[in-house]
């Protein structure tokens, strides 16, 4: 049944009516975007001869996606979040911004409200026998290489099961376990004392993994650590680094890996002296270069719903 109805007046009128496109009221931007997306969907149904059964499978999928609370996870998995990064990178390039630590996706698992400490924060609140100690440290500078005092470095990562506090399906982690915030001093330095994370995997029964299964894709990320870095007069950086050596580094289901974001992992000793759970520990130096505001504005701030909690 290969009928073509998209270009008919009846269908074009239906799209206009459904989005009140020509009405005076309503949000003009919303009308524009919904009209376009709906039209693209209608056209795809025509072009690919998408059947009613397939349409209803898709509608039902959206219900499951919402029930599972996984819309933002799916956005990462289908590369939509990466696409927004590609666009922001291109926008930077177009106005001559080339330097600075590269951005990479935020992902859906940030929680606002972590306690802020000066210079150093120990963020492994819960015992995790399978995870060895890890020290993450570096200097926050501007593009001139000068340290930035009073910068805020926020960090969050998974435990040895690949689970994040606040979103842990076992319910076993304390609030803000493996999440922290450090304010830099005059030297621009920050340090987190924590435990080595393991890569994340999508919930096996969830809507995201269901779609990935149909595409013959896995839903796993290499081990990684997320950052927000903010400082007066600079643009907020959203980034992550991957743990060097993880086999999935170039096979991330969320496409967040960048060559510049794989710092070396160095074996060190002497952790006992400053309170780590073992003397031998892993050390990662991750220095951050922030870029200046654009015409006095932070043009890379992304507003999105985020979880928050109290300590
Ligand atoms: C994560 O930890 C993550 O960073 C992303 C992007 C998606 C799912 C889980
Ligand atoms: Fe993550």
């Amino acid at each position: 049944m290969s009928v073509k109805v998209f270009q008919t007046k009846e269908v074009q009128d239906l799209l206009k009516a459904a989005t009140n496109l020509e009405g005076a009221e309503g949000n003009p931007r919303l009308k524009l975007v919904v009209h376009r997306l709906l039209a693209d969907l209608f056209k795809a149904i025509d072009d690919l001869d998408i059947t009613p059964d397939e349409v209803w499978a898709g509608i039902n999928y959206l219900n499951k996606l919402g029930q599972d609370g996984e819309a933002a996870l799916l956005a990462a998995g289908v590369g939509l979040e990466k696409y927004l990064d590609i666009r922001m990178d291109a926008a930077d390039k177009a106005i001559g911004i080339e330097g600075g630590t590269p951005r990479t996706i935020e992902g859906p698992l940030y929680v606002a409200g972590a306690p802020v400490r000066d210079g150093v924060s120990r963020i492994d609140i819960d015992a995790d026998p399978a995870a060895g100690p890890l020290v993450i440290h570096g200097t926050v500078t501007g593009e001139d290489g000068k340290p930035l005092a009073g910068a805020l470095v926020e960090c969050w990562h998974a435990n040895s099961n690949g689970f994040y506090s606040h979103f842990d399906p076992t319910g076993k982690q304390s609030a803000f376990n493996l999440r922290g915030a450090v304010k830099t001093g005059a030297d621009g330095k920050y340090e987190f004392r924590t435990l080595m994370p393991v890569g994340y995997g999508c919930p096996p029964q969830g809507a995201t993994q269901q779609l990935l299964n149909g595409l013959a894709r896995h839903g796993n990320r290499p081990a990684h650590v997320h950052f927000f870095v903010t400082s007066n007069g600079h643009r907020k950086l959203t980034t992550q680094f991957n743990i060097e050596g993880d086999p999935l580094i170039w096979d991330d289901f969320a496409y967040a890996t960048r060559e510049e974001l794989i710092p070396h992992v160095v074996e060190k000793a002497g952790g006992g002296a400053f309170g780590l759970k073992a003397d031998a520990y892993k050390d990662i130096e991750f220095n951050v270069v922030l870029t200046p505001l654009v015409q006095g504005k932070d043009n890379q701030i992304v507003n999105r719903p985020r979880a928050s909690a109290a300590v």
Side-chain angles (χ1 to χ4, degrees):
M1 185 193 59
S2 195
V3 298
K4 297 290 176 227
V5 299
F6 179 71
Q7 294 296 353
T8 61
K9 181 166 187 304
E10 184 183 12
V11 170
Q12 294 304 311
D13 286 349
L14 177 61
L15 282 167
K16 283 181 197 157
T19 53
N20 193 19
L21 194 66
E22 285 162 358
E25 314 276 290
N27 178 328
R29 177 72 179 166
L30 181 68
K31 288 184 183 186
L32 184 71
V33 173
V34 174
H35 179 268
R36 172 59 185 270
L37 292 177
L38 199 57
D40 285 355
L41 173 62
F42 281 20
K43 186 157 191 312
I45 291 172
D46 230 21
D47 289 349
L48 304 179
D49 208 4
I50 298 175
T51 67
D53 291 16
E54 288 170 333
V55 169
W56 292 115
I59 301 290
N60 189 59
Y61 180 81
L62 292 180
N63 273 338
K64 175 168 169 61
L65 185 65
Q67 270 163 13
D68 295 348
E70 288 192 2
L73 183 61
L74 182 69
V78 295
L80 176 57
E81 198 173 1
K82 172 67 179 180
Y83 183 62
L84 299 178
D85 273 359
I86 292 170
R87 285 182 45 81
M88 285 193 278
D89 285 353
D92 280 0
K93 202 167 174 211
I95 57 172
I97 301 178
E98 299 262 13
T101 301
R103 64 167 60 79
T104 197
I105 67 168
E106 173 180 332
L109 303 177
Y110 172 77
V111 180
V116 181
R117 315 258 186 250
D118 286 325
V120 183
S121 183
R122 178 158 185 173
I123 62 173
D124 57 313
I125 298 164
D126 299 335
D128 188 347
L134 169 66
V135 174
I136 301 164
H137 62 100
T139 306
V140 183
T141 68
E143 284 188 307
D144 58 5
K146 292 203 178 113
L148 294 173
L152 185 70
V153 181
E154 294 176 86
C155 129
W156 67 104
H157 67 79
N159 67 8
S160 70
N161 293 316
F163 295 146
Y164 287 73
S165 62
H166 196 89
F167 302 100
D168 186 331
T170 69
K172 280 189 182 143
Q173 292 187 61
S174 306
F176 293 106
N177 187 43
L178 311 180
R179 299 176 183 275
V182 160
K183 209 148 236 164
T184 61
D187 58 5
K189 290 196 165 146
Y190 77 89
E191 180 171 320
F192 292 103
R193 297 179 185 162
T194 188
L195 297 172
M196 187 58 92
V198 161
Y200 171 93
C202 288
Q205 305 310 320
T208 303
Q209 190 59 56
Q210 181 187 322
L211 179 73
L212 295 173
N213 288 345
L215 304 174
R217 287 185 50 200
H218 70 70
N220 301 312
R221 302 207 59 212
H224 61 277
V225 177
H226 297 263
F227 293 89
F228 283 155
V229 186
T230 46
S231 177
N232 284 338
H234 295 80
R235 302 192 301 168
K236 173 180 173 179
L237 174 69
T238 300
T239 197
Q240 314 175 21
F241 64 65
N242 286 338
I243 303 295
E244 186 185 40
D246 191 299
L248 287 180
I249 278 194
W250 293 107
D251 192 13
D252 176 7
F253 100 102
Y255 309 104
T257 304
R258 302 186 76 148
E259 220 148 79
E260 307 91 324
L261 300 175
I262 314 171
H264 291 308
V265 178
V266 180
E267 312 273 347
K268 291 211 173 169
F274 55 100
L276 302 188
K277 77 175 188 183
D279 204 59
Y281 67 98
K282 308 231 193 279
D283 179 281
I284 294 176
E285 181 177 6
F286 182 61
N287 297 316
V288 174
V289 180
L290 297 183
T291 49
L293 298 177
V294 175
Q295 289 163 345
K297 277 200 187 144
D298 188 340
N299 68 336
Q300 61 178 9
I301 285 278
V302 174
N303 291 305
R304 60 185 279 181
R306 293 182 175 95
S308 67
V311 188

